[in-house]
Amino acid sequence: MKQLYLWLSLTLLLPTTLLGQYDYEANGIHPYGRPNPEAPSQILDFDAMIGECDCQSTRRKPDGTWGKPEPMLWRFKYIMNGMAIQDETLKPNGAHTGNIRQFIADSSKWYVHYYSNSRPSTTFPVWEGGKKEKEIVLYRDQKAPNGAEGYYKIRFYDMSKRGYKWSGAWVSADESIVFDNWNIVCVRPEEK
């Protein structure tokens, strides 16, 4: 009987002592978590993407033509008790990816750490950038196939609660040359 009393006491006490510390984590009421008011205000930059969207991903083929759109599910949620954002893509072919997105106030930039099950790595590639007007723009150093210096540029745009668009392109260092090679269009399932 003493053990049952102790177990019940701990079970009843646990939610009030621990859950109050993690109010912004995903739970039954908020399945994708919530932004922590203690986080930098930029935590809301990705707010329109929080949740799940059905997406169509289209990539440029080696011959320069565009491939057929491929379906994927893109899910965003708040993590680390609402202090960061995680997203993952789930694809029918089993090639899944994800990102951890942290805003670092000292540099006033987002840092996005990318990972993939089809290309596991001991070090994660990192994009950096931030919100520019109505877009989120992120860059990572990347040389062109001919060796020219430049970046891989990622853009989120047309962001709303109905969905969003994403594009990836190689750009020259001064962005005078842009080679689009990947586009994704996402729509909330309830908006179809």
Side-chain angles (χ1 to χ4, degrees), residues 56-60 66 157 166-168 180-185:
Q56 293 292 315
S57 172
T58 309
R59 294 179 132 186
R60 196 179 291 273
W66 287 95
Y157 59 101
W166 180 98
S167 71
D180 276 326
N181 63 0
W182 196 354
N183 291 299
I184 302 173
V185 176

Short mmCIF file of all heavy atoms in Angstrom, two decimals, residues 56-60 66 157 166-168 180-185:
data_model
loop_
_atom_site.label_atom_id
_atom_site.label_comp_id
_atom_site.label_asym_id
_atom_site.label_seq_id
_atom_site.Cartn_x
_atom_site.Cartn_y
_atom_site.Cartn_z
N GLN A 56 4.88 19.54 -53.44
CA GLN A 56 5.37 19.01 -54.71
C GLN A 56 6.77 19.56 -54.91
O GLN A 56 6.96 20.78 -54.95
CB GLN A 56 4.46 19.43 -55.86
CG GLN A 56 3.07 18.82 -55.81
CD GLN A 56 3.09 17.31 -56.03
OE1 GLN A 56 3.76 16.81 -56.94
NE2 GLN A 56 2.39 16.59 -55.19
N SER A 57 7.75 18.67 -55.02
CA SER A 57 9.15 19.03 -55.17
C SER A 57 9.59 18.75 -56.60
O SER A 57 9.42 17.64 -57.11
CB SER A 57 9.98 18.19 -54.20
OG SER A 57 11.36 18.36 -54.42
N THR A 58 10.15 19.78 -57.26
CA THR A 58 10.58 19.64 -58.65
C THR A 58 12.05 20.06 -58.75
O THR A 58 12.40 21.16 -58.35
CB THR A 58 9.72 20.53 -59.58
OG1 THR A 58 8.35 20.27 -59.33
CG2 THR A 58 10.04 20.24 -61.04
N ARG A 59 12.87 19.16 -59.31
CA ARG A 59 14.30 19.43 -59.46
C ARG A 59 14.70 19.45 -60.92
O ARG A 59 14.11 18.78 -61.75
CB ARG A 59 15.11 18.36 -58.74
CG ARG A 59 14.93 18.38 -57.25
CD ARG A 59 15.73 17.29 -56.62
NE ARG A 59 16.46 17.88 -55.51
CZ ARG A 59 17.35 17.24 -54.79
NH1 ARG A 59 17.67 16.01 -55.06
NH2 ARG A 59 17.96 17.85 -53.80
N ARG A 60 15.74 20.21 -61.19
CA ARG A 60 16.29 20.26 -62.54
C ARG A 60 17.14 19.00 -62.77
O ARG A 60 17.92 18.59 -61.91
CB ARG A 60 17.14 21.51 -62.71
CG ARG A 60 17.42 21.83 -64.16
CD ARG A 60 18.25 23.10 -64.28
NE ARG A 60 17.54 24.30 -63.91
CZ ARG A 60 16.79 25.04 -64.73
NH1 ARG A 60 16.61 24.64 -65.97
NH2 ARG A 60 16.23 26.14 -64.31
N TRP A 66 13.49 20.35 -66.46
CA TRP A 66 12.89 20.11 -65.14
C TRP A 66 12.28 18.72 -65.08
O TRP A 66 11.63 18.27 -66.03
CB TRP A 66 11.83 21.16 -64.83
CG TRP A 66 12.43 22.49 -64.53
CD1 TRP A 66 12.62 23.52 -65.40
CD2 TRP A 66 12.94 22.93 -63.27
NE1 TRP A 66 13.23 24.59 -64.77
CE2 TRP A 66 13.44 24.24 -63.45
CE3 TRP A 66 13.05 22.36 -62.01
CZ2 TRP A 66 14.02 24.98 -62.43
CZ3 TRP A 66 13.63 23.08 -60.98
CH2 TRP A 66 14.10 24.38 -61.19
N TYR A 157 9.13 31.80 -49.54
CA TYR A 157 8.36 32.99 -49.93
C TYR A 157 6.89 32.60 -50.11
O TYR A 157 6.54 31.42 -50.02
CB TYR A 157 8.95 33.62 -51.20
CG TYR A 157 8.97 32.71 -52.40
CD1 TYR A 157 8.01 32.83 -53.40
CD2 TYR A 157 9.96 31.74 -52.55
CE1 TYR A 157 8.03 31.99 -54.51
CE2 TYR A 157 9.99 30.91 -53.65
CZ TYR A 157 9.01 31.03 -54.63
OH TYR A 157 9.02 30.20 -55.71
N TRP A 166 9.21 27.35 -51.79
CA TRP A 166 10.63 27.24 -51.47
C TRP A 166 11.38 27.12 -52.79
O TRP A 166 10.91 26.48 -53.72
CB TRP A 166 10.84 25.99 -50.63
CG TRP A 166 12.23 25.70 -50.18
CD1 TRP A 166 12.77 25.98 -48.97
CD2 TRP A 166 13.25 25.00 -50.91
NE1 TRP A 166 14.07 25.52 -48.90
CE2 TRP A 166 14.38 24.91 -50.09
CE3 TRP A 166 13.32 24.46 -52.19
CZ2 TRP A 166 15.56 24.31 -50.49
CZ3 TRP A 166 14.50 23.85 -52.61
CH2 TRP A 166 15.60 23.78 -51.75
N SER A 167 12.54 27.75 -52.85
CA SER A 167 13.38 27.57 -54.04
C SER A 167 14.83 27.44 -53.63
O SER A 167 15.27 28.01 -52.62
CB SER A 167 13.21 28.73 -55.03
OG SER A 167 13.78 29.90 -54.51
N GLY A 168 15.58 26.69 -54.43
CA GLY A 168 17.01 26.54 -54.24
C GLY A 168 17.72 26.88 -55.53
O GLY A 168 17.26 26.50 -56.61
N ASP A 180 18.54 28.51 -60.99
CA ASP A 180 17.52 27.79 -60.23
C ASP A 180 17.61 26.31 -60.53
O ASP A 180 17.71 25.92 -61.69
CB ASP A 180 16.11 28.25 -60.63
CG ASP A 180 15.68 29.50 -59.89
OD1 ASP A 180 16.05 29.64 -58.72
OD2 ASP A 180 14.95 30.31 -60.49
N ASN A 181 17.56 25.47 -59.49
CA ASN A 181 17.58 24.03 -59.76
C ASN A 181 16.63 23.22 -58.90
O ASN A 181 16.60 22.00 -58.98
CB ASN A 181 19.01 23.48 -59.66
CG ASN A 181 19.59 23.60 -58.27
OD1 ASN A 181 18.94 24.10 -57.35
ND2 ASN A 181 20.81 23.15 -58.11
N TRP A 182 15.83 23.91 -58.06
CA TRP A 182 14.91 23.15 -57.21
C TRP A 182 13.80 24.07 -56.76
O TRP A 182 14.05 25.19 -56.32
CB TRP A 182 15.68 22.63 -56.00
CG TRP A 182 15.06 21.54 -55.21
CD1 TRP A 182 13.80 21.01 -55.34
CD2 TRP A 182 15.67 20.83 -54.13
NE1 TRP A 182 13.61 20.03 -54.42
CE2 TRP A 182 14.74 19.89 -53.67
CE3 TRP A 182 16.90 20.92 -53.52
CZ2 TRP A 182 15.02 19.03 -52.60
CZ3 TRP A 182 17.17 20.07 -52.47
CH2 TRP A 182 16.23 19.13 -52.02
N ASN A 183 12.56 23.60 -56.88
CA ASN A 183 11.39 24.36 -56.43
C ASN A 183 10.44 23.45 -55.68
O ASN A 183 10.25 22.29 -56.09
CB ASN A 183 10.65 25.00 -57.61
CG ASN A 183 11.46 26.09 -58.26
OD1 ASN A 183 11.79 27.08 -57.61
ND2 ASN A 183 11.82 25.91 -59.52
N ILE A 184 9.87 23.96 -54.62
CA ILE A 184 8.89 23.20 -53.84
C ILE A 184 7.69 24.11 -53.59
O ILE A 184 7.86 25.27 -53.20
CB ILE A 184 9.48 22.72 -52.49
CG1 ILE A 184 10.72 21.85 -52.74
CG2 ILE A 184 8.43 21.96 -51.69
CD1 ILE A 184 11.48 21.45 -51.48
N VAL A 185 6.50 23.58 -53.81
CA VAL A 185 5.25 24.28 -53.53
C VAL A 185 4.49 23.46 -52.50
O VAL A 185 4.27 22.26 -52.70
CB VAL A 185 4.41 24.47 -54.81
CG1 VAL A 185 3.08 25.12 -54.49
CG2 VAL A 185 5.18 25.26 -55.85
#
